[in-house]
Amino acid sequence: YIAENDDAVISLPDYSVMAWGIPKDATADEVSKHFEQFGVVADCVVVKDRGTVMGTRMKRSKLLDQLVALKIDAAYYEAKGRTALLTLQKKRIEKKKEAIIKCDETIQEKLKKGFDSVCAFVTFEESKYRANCVTEFKRGTYLQGLFQSDKLRFRDEHVIKLKPAPESSDVLWENVLRVHPVVKFLRKFLSYLCIFALLLCAIGVVV
């Protein structure tokens, strides 16, 4: 009974891990090969940073909405015989179309350049391989990820940060962004500074 129920609650995270710290040009084949030292890898998906193109797509969507509104107004002016306003509206429509075309060109350029790798989802054939992977990373990673053994580092230089894989869902990971190390440092610095200020305030109140 216990074995049957245990099997029933097994999910994807029991077989998978998330690998952060991979270089921008890392491929799924490379990451998969790196993790094969812990066991048979069933699947490997590298998440790409598509945030650079999402902003342009959102801008294009807003321009399309504005274009529709301009066309509706133009139809109204034409029906009412307001020639001057109609002429002005047509010029606005043409400018809006040009802006949309520029957005399309920008999107195509970004698609041709490709996207940076952010992290990877690695799924093993058996849960014991995943457990072996987690154990090895715990043993070979020191000082909260500042140092790592040679066999764990990707391409012998990139420190990999292993995290549990989330439950499977229909969410598209297109908006996962690579946070710059300087930004990470500033965020931590500001957090510690706020904590220090609060401590000083608390001490001042007590004293």
Side-chain angles (χ1 to χ4, degrees):
Y1 175 82
I2 295 176
E4 289 178 359
N5 280 273
D6 187 49
D7 290 339
V9 297
I10 289 176
S11 59
L12 187 62
D14 295 322
Y15 295 81
S16 307
V17 293
M18 283 181 69
W20 292 84
I22 60 176
K24 295 179 179 180
D25 59 343
T27 64
D29 290 338
E30 277 186 295
V31 177
S32 179
K33 187 175 181 181
H34 179 75
F35 279 87
E36 282 177 355
Q37 60 181 302
F38 309 111
V40 181
V41 175
D43 186 36
C44 178
V45 178
V46 173
V47 178
K48 297 290 184 177
D49 178 7
R50 300 180 185 273
T52 54
V53 77
M54 285 182 69
T56 310
R57 283 177 173 169
M58 291 175 67
K59 180 181 178 181
R60 184 182 185 278
S61 178
K62 289 180 180 179
L63 289 172
L64 284 172
D65 290 339
Q66 293 169 5
L67 179 61
V68 171
L70 289 173
K71 286 184 176 181
I72 291 173
D73 290 340
Y76 173 78
Y77 296 145
E78 185 175 8
K80 294 295 182 179
R82 299 181 181 180
T83 308
L85 288 175
L86 179 61
T87 302
L88 181 61
Q89 197 73 350
K90 286 182 177 179
K91 289 181 180 179
R92 290 173 179 170
I93 290 173
E94 288 304 316
K95 287 184 179 180
K96 201 65 66 175
K97 286 181 178 180
E98 290 175 2
I100 292 172
I101 291 172
K102 286 183 179 179
C103 282
D104 290 336
E105 291 174 351
T106 302
I107 291 171
Q108 289 304 317
E109 287 177 5
K110 290 180 178 180
L111 289 174
K112 287 179 181 178
K113 289 180 181 178
F115 304 100
D116 295 337
S117 299
V118 180
C119 65
F121 290 87
V122 182
T123 304
F124 293 96
E125 283 281 359
E126 298 182 28
S127 59
K128 65 179 181 181
Y129 299 144
R130 189 250 185 206
N132 181 39
C133 174
V134 173
T135 301
E136 289 296 324
F137 267 88
K138 285 182 179 179
R139 289 175 180 173
T141 305
Y142 317 99
L143 297 178
Q144 295 184 339
L146 292 177
F147 300 98
Q148 203 166 60
S149 61
D150 293 340
K151 74 171 187 176
L152 298 180
R153 288 199 299 267
F154 189 77
R155 295 179 183 170
D156 298 325
E157 57 178 326
H158 299 281
V159 175
I160 298 296
K161 293 182 180 180
L162 211 66
K163 294 185 178 181
E167 291 287 348
S168 58
S169 67
D170 295 329
V171 176
L172 295 177
W173 291 77
E174 293 185 352
N175 59 340
V176 177
L177 303 178
R178 180 187 292 274
V179 181
H180 196 277
V182 176
V183 177
K184 286 183 178 179
F185 173 77
L186 288 174
R187 287 177 180 175
K188 287 185 178 180
F189 177 75
L190 289 173
S191 298
Y192 291 142
L193 189 63
C194 291
I195 292 171
F196 181 69
L198 290 172
L199 286 173
L200 288 178
C201 291
I203 293 171
V205 171
V206 173
V207 175

